[in-house]
Amino acid sequence: MGTHATKPDSTKRILDAVRAIPKGQVAGYGEVARRAGLPGRARLVARLLSQNEDRRLPWHRVLRSDGRIAFPEGSEGWHEQTARLRGEGILVENGRVRGLRAAVTREEALDAEVWGAPPVSRKAAKAVGKSGRRR
DNA sequence: TTAATGACCGTGT
DNA sequence: TACACGGCCATTA
């Protein structure tokens, strides 16, 4: 079969994980990697996105773990990502997605009540919208 | 082979 | 909120 290795399916899995982010929701690079079954490969996710050319890919829904856009403020990509997110009804201000902290906090609190999740420090609460974290 | 780089992450101060 | 530090990982120089 593969006389020479084909593109690692980790690539495919990461792209699938990105495509799986519902419209109007966002996820962090690390979160995407984890969902793709590749914990710790956040940088790989970033690299793939930087080389991606598929316009169908909802790359704009991927943010840094603190809810900020990964591009340098004011750059072209920064502007485009902001515009795309807003286009989906996501509130973005100053390169940062707003409305996550409250929502996430609420869900974390719920998790804690439901199955005794560990204490959430502000850091964790800031974690990017795992909006679809219900299971 | 080693060093630097990058759309990153989590913790600690 | 901001910055420093150490980790992680694939690609490039």
Side-chain angles (χ1 to χ4, degrees):
Chain A
M1 305 259 46
T3 49
H4 65 71
T6 56
K7 193 164 51 175
D9 63 46
S10 54
T11 296
K12 185 176 176 334
R13 280 192 293 179
I14 288 175
L15 294 180
D16 283 342
V18 173
R19 294 191 186 96
I21 303 173
K23 182 180 179 183
Q25 294 186 16
V26 295
Y29 291 88
E31 186 72 11
V32 169
R34 202 162 65 80
R35 287 176 181 173
L38 301 166
R41 272 48 158 205
R43 300 192 93 141
L44 178 57
V45 174
R47 194 179 78 69
L48 289 180
L49 290 189
S50 74
Q51 299 191 330
N52 167 67
E53 292 177 18
D54 183 357
R55 302 192 63 108
R56 294 299 171 189
L57 193 71
W59 56 269
H60 56 284
R61 295 176 192 150
V62 185
L63 310 167
R64 295 205 303 218
S65 65
D66 60 359
R68 290 189 163 224
I69 286 177
F71 289 105
E73 185 171 340
S75 68
E76 193 176 342
W78 184 88
H79 283 301
E80 184 173 350
Q81 186 162 18
T82 298
R84 287 198 182 209
L85 289 172
R86 285 178 176 163
E88 295 187 357
I90 297 175
L91 179 56
V92 186
E93 199 168 328
N94 223 354
R96 184 176 193 172
V97 171
R98 297 287 185 176
L100 286 182
R101 202 164 113 170
V104 172
T105 297
R106 195 172 308 127
E107 293 202 18
E108 290 285 358
L110 258 164
D111 284 359
E113 282 183 36
V114 175
W115 56 60
V120 203
S121 27
R122 258 73 112 240
K123 257 81 166 204
K126 270 170 36 164
V128 167
K130 341 187 138 214
S131 349
R133 116 177 326 229
R134 48 4 199 10
R135 39 172 54 211

